[in-house]
Amino acid sequence: MSLNGKLGKWVDAGLITAAQRDAIQEHERKFAGSRWKAGMASSGLLSVVLGLSLIVAANWQFISSDIKLVGHIIINLALSVLVWKWHGNPARKTHAEVALFLLWGLTLTFIALIGQIFQLSGHVYEAIRLWFWITTPMVLLFAQGRYMARLWAVAFIIYVPFDILSTTWDATESWNIRKSVLLGTALLLPLGIWFLGRWQRFASARQEVAATLRRLAVFTALAAASVATLEFYDNFYYSYSVFVPLAFAVLSIALRFALNRQTQFTADDKLTIDLLCLCGLYCTLPFLSYALSDLWAMLHFIALWGLAAAIWQQQGHAKYVSHAVTLISLRIFIGFLEIFGGLMLSGFGFIGIGLLLMGIGWATRKVQARLKGGVS
Amino acid sequence: MTRKLSLLALLLPTIVLLGWVGCLTWRYNHAPAYDVVITGYDPRDIVYGKYLMFTFDWQNPQSSKPADVDMASLPTSGRFYVPEWDAMDLQTMIQRNEGHVFMANAALTGKNAMVRNLRIDGQPWQEALAAWRKTKQNGPQ
């Protein structure tokens, strides 16, 4: 149904007044006008950029290396100037964000171009490492919108733990050191990100980025603690001292109590610190247990997300509670498949799985509805 | 102060990459270079476009190499960017094993090599490839 049709129905139902309907229609007319102009301008610009790119691509081997390098530097510098010029201007916020995004991406293509011109035989991850670290200060200081912040967050969560761990794995054969770095990263990296996002001076200047950092910290910690359950499947392959996970378990608990005594944190902050330290502790449990068990893996995962849901419940994050309950339900189903997977091949197996799925769906809805009621 | 730091953060990628380009240019022009026979290849690379990927055959009598150097310290592999449509023909040319000698002029910087150009049977690779294509079109003589 069109907007006008819907507005008519809402007026008839008494949800909005005729004056409100007219105001909404006027607003939409104005917005649609600027959207059409912006759409045409963007399409034209895209067409010009595509045309230029095609000409450059078709003649790539005929363009000298110097021209390629200088041309790329000029584009990057021009974008830097635009970001600098626009970044404090609220009317140009979108322009600044687009220019920053282009500069971010073109820095990576510049690295690739250098590799091509000087015939460097480095690995792709080395190029990405250089790109990520040299552009991070720029993104953190100049990104204002949530899309850029989230894109950077995705790059962060994929790249940084991988970089830390791959560097450690290359540097040493000692499993004690490797596990120490692994557990240290799982505990301290999320805490570090959260503190940066919580830093008042940064948070007031870069609200979207700071909020993204705080969410990223929680997500990274939970992802690390969830991945740690894999240790229940193959932890007998490598030998390491029990004191390594024990030290990090003690550190997680000590950090939790030390940070909770600080007066500058709000009650909400303290709950987040509880969650981050809890994740750090849960990362160590599979390494402490030396157990090889599908059941323990499932219980570990469920307990972790159950506690996370309880903390979010106290913080009033109904959406996160709902996600946690869904994940727990999925994990229970995966646990069922792990234990009774062979039954799937039989007719009774299909009936059992069908009934289980319906039961989990029903129970999940019930739990979510009750928890949401509690939150509200 | 904050303003200056912000500007520095914004220009940091360009400054670092410019410095890197300067450093690489100096090495490219000043590092000792050697003509080395190359073997092995894979002209495809998902990130960098089309490359010949090869290993250096330092033991080959036609290869020049630095004097009094441990062979283990020399780079073992390198790559050379070639346009997409040439890469496949170069691949076929090497695959057919018709006795062509592929030789890279490589500037050495420690364990790394920057290939400055590629020669086939003593000719620039573009000329050798063009001649090979002509032979292929005309058929064996």
Side-chain angles (χ1 to χ4, degrees):
Chain A
M1 187 185 287
S2 70
L3 179 65
N4 287 341
K6 279 184 184 175
L7 286 171
K9 284 204 165 202
W10 292 341
V11 172
D12 294 343
L15 295 171
I16 57 171
T17 63
Q20 283 171 325
R21 179 197 58 198
D22 296 341
I24 292 169
Q25 284 173 334
E26 182 58 27
H27 172 80
E28 284 301 308
R29 259 194 296 277
K30 280 184 189 166
F31 182 68
S34 63
R35 192 166 53 187
W36 184 81
K37 275 185 251 171
M40 290 300 283
S42 303
S43 303
L45 186 65
L46 182 67
S47 176
V48 171
V49 170
L50 272 177
L52 286 172
S53 305
L54 284 171
I55 290 168
V56 170
N59 296 286
W60 191 244
Q61 75 278 16
F62 304 116
I63 303 170
S64 80
S65 301
D66 292 346
I67 291 175
K68 287 176 193 167
L69 281 172
V70 171
H72 211 309
I73 289 166
I74 288 171
I75 292 169
N76 283 26
L77 280 174
L79 285 167
S80 303
V81 169
L82 291 176
V83 172
W84 184 253
K85 197 177 158 192
W86 288 334
H87 85 279
N89 184 351
R92 296 281 184 182
K93 189 181 165 188
T94 311
H95 293 65
E97 205 69 359
V98 171
L100 182 66
F101 175 72
L102 290 174
L103 180 59
W104 195 47
L106 284 172
T107 303
L108 183 60
T109 62
F110 192 24
I111 294 171
L113 178 66
I114 292 170
Q116 186 184 92
I117 285 173
F118 292 98
Q119 311 289 356
L120 303 177
S121 17
H123 293 286
V124 175
Y125 73 82
E126 288 170 330
I128 294 174
R129 172 186 287 162
L130 176 67
W131 168 71
F132 185 83
W133 290 120
I134 63 174
T135 54
T136 285
M138 173 183 88
V139 174
L140 289 179
L141 286 171
F142 287 90
Q144 294 176 72
R146 69 180 64 170
Y147 298 108
M148 188 69 201
R150 284 177 185 176
L151 272 175
W152 178 84
V154 168
F156 181 95
I157 203 163
I158 291 171
Y159 174 67
V160 173
F162 165 79
D163 193 24
I164 293 172
L165 298 182
S166 69
T167 306
T168 309
W169 257 243
D170 290 345
T172 178
E173 296 278 312
S174 162
W175 280 100
N176 281 332
I177 296 175
R178 286 179 174 182
K179 297 282 178 187
S180 298
V181 173
L182 184 76
L183 294 173
T185 305
L187 172 65
L188 300 175
L189 187 68
L191 274 171
I193 305 167
W194 185 80
F195 276 112
L196 181 59
R198 172 67 179 68
W199 183 27
Q200 203 58 45
R201 201 170 157 196
F202 182 75
S204 57
R206 294 278 168 269
Q207 289 174 6
E208 285 290 349
V209 179
T212 303
L213 284 174
R214 292 195 298 273
R215 277 195 292 269
L216 176 69
V218 173
F219 180 73
T220 310
L222 278 164
S226 303
V227 170
T229 59
L230 294 175
E231 192 68 12
F232 281 115
Y233 293 94
D234 71 345
N235 71 350
F236 287 107
Y237 289 107
Y238 309 112
S239 61
Y240 53 90
S241 167
V242 72
F243 290 108
V244 172
L246 192 62
F248 280 97
V250 171
L251 180 64
S252 304
I253 296 166
L255 274 173
R256 186 263 172 215
F257 284 104
L259 293 171
N260 260 269
R261 282 197 192 135
Q262 303 298 314
T263 50
Q264 76 263 30
F265 296 127
T266 62
D268 199 58
D269 289 340
K270 287 181 180 176
L271 283 169
T272 306
I273 290 168
D274 282 354
L275 180 54
L276 295 176
C277 293
L278 186 78
C279 289
L281 178 66
Y282 263 70
C283 283
T284 65
L285 295 181
F287 297 94
L288 273 172
S289 69
Y290 283 89
L292 187 64
S293 162
D294 295 358
L295 187 65
W296 274 114
M298 183 175 74
L299 292 176
H300 179 275
F301 186 92
I302 291 170
L304 170 74
W305 283 92
L307 287 166
I311 288 172
W312 286 329
Q313 175 86 356
Q314 287 185 58
Q315 290 178 316
H317 295 314
K319 195 172 75 177
Y320 293 164
V321 174
S322 180
H323 290 332
V325 172
T326 307
L327 277 174
I328 291 171
S329 308
L330 281 171
R331 188 64 185 88
I332 290 171
F333 182 65
I334 291 168
F336 171 82
L337 291 182
E338 283 171 347
I339 297 166
F340 302 107
L343 279 176
M344 281 185 72
L345 296 174
S346 70
F348 289 111
F350 276 109
I351 294 168
I353 287 168
L355 291 172
L356 183 78
L357 276 174
M358 286 192 287
I360 289 176
W362 176 81
T364 306
R365 274 201 305 277
K366 279 272 179 199
V367 172
Q368 284 177 344
R370 185 164 290 186
L371 289 173
K372 276 178 188 167
V375 169
S376 62
Chain B
M1 185 64 183
T2 311
R3 202 174 151 78
K4 281 181 185 167
L5 281 176
S6 298
L7 186 61
L8 182 66
L10 184 63
L11 293 176
L12 182 71
T14 312
I15 293 169
V16 169
L17 295 181
L18 265 176
W20 192 31
V21 167
C23 188
L24 287 171
T25 307
W26 193 88
R27 283 186 191 173
Y28 193 84
N29 293 325
H30 293 86
Y34 302 91
D35 290 318
V36 194
V37 174
I38 57 170
T39 54
Y41 59 89
D42 183 351
R44 281 148 299 189
D45 185 294
I46 52 169
V47 171
Y48 288 115
K50 300 290 176 183
Y51 280 86
L52 276 181
M53 298 180 75
F54 47 79
T55 52
F56 292 111
D57 185 2
W58 294 102
Q59 305 285 1
N60 192 301
Q62 294 183 72
S63 297
S64 62
K65 51 184 168 285
D68 303 327
V69 72
D70 179 16
M71 295 297 280
S73 68
L74 294 171
T76 53
S77 62
R79 58 183 172 186
F80 187 73
Y81 174 80
V82 283
E84 197 171 335
W85 48 86
D86 291 333
M88 293 313 289
D89 278 349
L90 274 172
Q91 176 179 262
T92 313
M93 197 175 169
I94 302 174
Q95 270 175 341
R96 288 194 180 175
N97 198 16
E98 294 162 335
H100 299 291
V101 178
F102 285 69
M103 195 168 270
N105 180 259
L108 291 191
T109 54
K111 270 288 267 182
N112 300 312
M114 285 189 281
V115 178
R116 300 204 294 202
N117 60 53
L118 179 72
R119 297 178 80 83
I120 303 170
D121 301 331
Q123 288 180 292
W125 69 269
Q126 294 93 333
E127 288 176 21
L129 185 66
W132 180 81
R133 278 179 178 145
K134 204 173 275 180
T135 314
K136 201 171 68 167
Q137 278 168 2
N138 297 338
Q141 299 298 308

